Amino acid sequence: MEDTRAVIPMRPLTFGELLDAAVSLLRVQWPLLVVSAAVLAMCEQAFLYPLRAWAGTEPPLHLLDPDRLGSTWLAFCVGLTTEGAILAVLGGLAGAAAGPGLLGQPAPWRQLLRQVLRRLPALLVVAGVTAVILLAGSLFLLLPWLFLFGLVGLAAPALVVDRVGPARALGRSFKLASVGLRGAAVRLGGYFSWAAIRLTLGFTAYGLLQVALRPGTLAFTLLMLALWVLVDAVAYATLACIDAVLYLETRMRVEALDIAIGRIRRLGRPVDLADSAVLGAAR
């Protein structure tokens, strides 16, 4: 029987149900996830601003300039890379929250934060490897990036939930996301859905700010950067929740994790998704 307190249904999900579960997880754990995402988005903007200024790209979208294709393409690829690394770090936080969300257990944000901090060195390794993979893929006309972005997103949740090393987590991500390429397709679908929302908000805010401020002024630049931090914080936190829910859902679909949990519960034993021995029951 499904736990009514759980925010993630314990069964294979449709695409719409998976997105709903991700939003439900974010609603429960938004203080930890959104604040963490905002800090990382702020660091990202501070890192990208001088690179984009050097490349000569224009806000709000920093599109490619045919006259400076090399520098603007590099800035664009680095932006894709930083997004992937941020999602990897947040995916660890969301993964820590997703286990209790599946089991209907209380999960105070301080407890989740401590759990992730214990795995932080390994999580940073996963984020670094993800960044290298995505940068290499994006430099070759984006097609490899699309494929790699879809396959690498389950590594951070696997690292935290399964308590495995970075190499094993990356291997599990590629393995699970490549089964019918469903996991990769779902991750890309979520990313591009939120990309459309972010671009719409960026265009709208840019137009509204032009009414009151002159583009290029310090006030205009700071307000645009603040807007991107806010929008990216919500988008990154949501996408991280999608990755975490997708990881558990794919394990239920491919490895019958829901059946293993049900069997353990019928035996009257406690279920702890952070326990690799319990996770091993589904393999």
Side-chain angles (χ1 to χ4, degrees):
M1 182 179 296
E2 197 169 286
D3 194 329
T4 57
R5 299 169 299 173
V7 297
I8 303 174
M10 198 175 297
R11 54 181 170 79
L13 306 174
T14 65
F15 180 68
E17 289 174 333
L18 194 148
L19 296 183
D20 287 342
V23 171
S24 297
L25 179 63
L26 179 61
R27 188 182 300 116
V28 172
Q29 298 293 349
W30 72 266
L32 174 63
L33 292 170
V34 175
V35 171
S36 299
V39 172
L40 292 172
M42 192 180 305
C43 294
E44 179 189 33
Q45 291 299 325
F47 173 75
L48 291 177
Y49 181 79
L51 177 62
R52 287 169 170 171
W54 166 79
T57 61
E58 295 292 334
L61 301 184
H62 302 283
L63 297 175
L64 299 176
D65 183 350
D67 296 328
R68 306 185 64 178
L69 186 59
S71 58
T72 55
W73 180 257
L74 177 61
F76 176 71
C77 292
V78 172
L80 292 178
T81 301
T82 56
E83 287 187 350
I86 287 172
L87 290 178
V89 175
L90 292 174
L93 283 170
L102 178 68
L103 300 175
Q105 298 172 345
W109 68 267
R110 289 182 179 84
Q111 175 185 326
L112 298 177
L113 186 58
R114 285 195 296 268
Q115 179 182 345
V116 173
L117 287 176
R118 286 195 293 267
R119 303 287 292 156
L120 186 58
L123 186 59
L124 292 178
V125 170
V126 168
V129 173
T130 297
V132 171
I133 290 173
L134 294 181
L135 180 61
S138 64
L139 290 173
F140 294 96
L141 302 179
L142 286 185
L143 186 59
W145 178 88
L146 290 171
F147 186 69
L148 293 169
F149 181 85
L151 293 180
V152 80
L154 305 184
L159 181 90
V160 174
V161 173
D162 289 11
R163 288 181 179 171
V164 296
R168 180 72 181 276
L170 287 161
R172 283 188 57 70
S173 179
F174 274 80
K175 176 184 176 181
L176 292 174
S178 63
V179 176
L181 292 180
R182 179 182 177 274
V186 169
R187 190 173 198 238
L188 285 170
Y191 179 82
F192 284 115
S193 297
W194 269 97
I197 295 172
R198 292 158 67 191
L199 294 180
T200 301
L201 292 174
F203 268 124
T204 303
Y206 187 76
L208 292 175
L209 283 178
Q210 282 183 313
V211 175
L213 297 170
R214 183 167 59 86
T217 62
L218 179 60
F220 186 92
T221 300
L222 290 176
L223 285 173
M224 280 302 305
L225 290 175
L227 170 79
W228 280 125
V229 168
L230 178 62
V231 172
D232 286 347
V234 177
Y236 291 161
T238 306
L239 291 172
C241 288
I242 291 175
D243 287 344
V245 173
L246 177 61
Y247 175 68
L248 293 177
E249 192 272 347
T250 302
R251 290 213 57 197
M252 288 185 278
R253 186 178 294 272
V254 175
E255 300 176 343
L257 178 62
D258 52 333
I259 296 175
I261 291 173
R263 183 168 63 247
I264 293 169
R265 281 177 165 171
R266 286 193 296 273
L267 294 173
R269 293 162 49 193
V271 180
D272 180 6
L273 284 180
D275 186 346
S276 59
V278 173
L279 287 169
R283 296 175 185 169

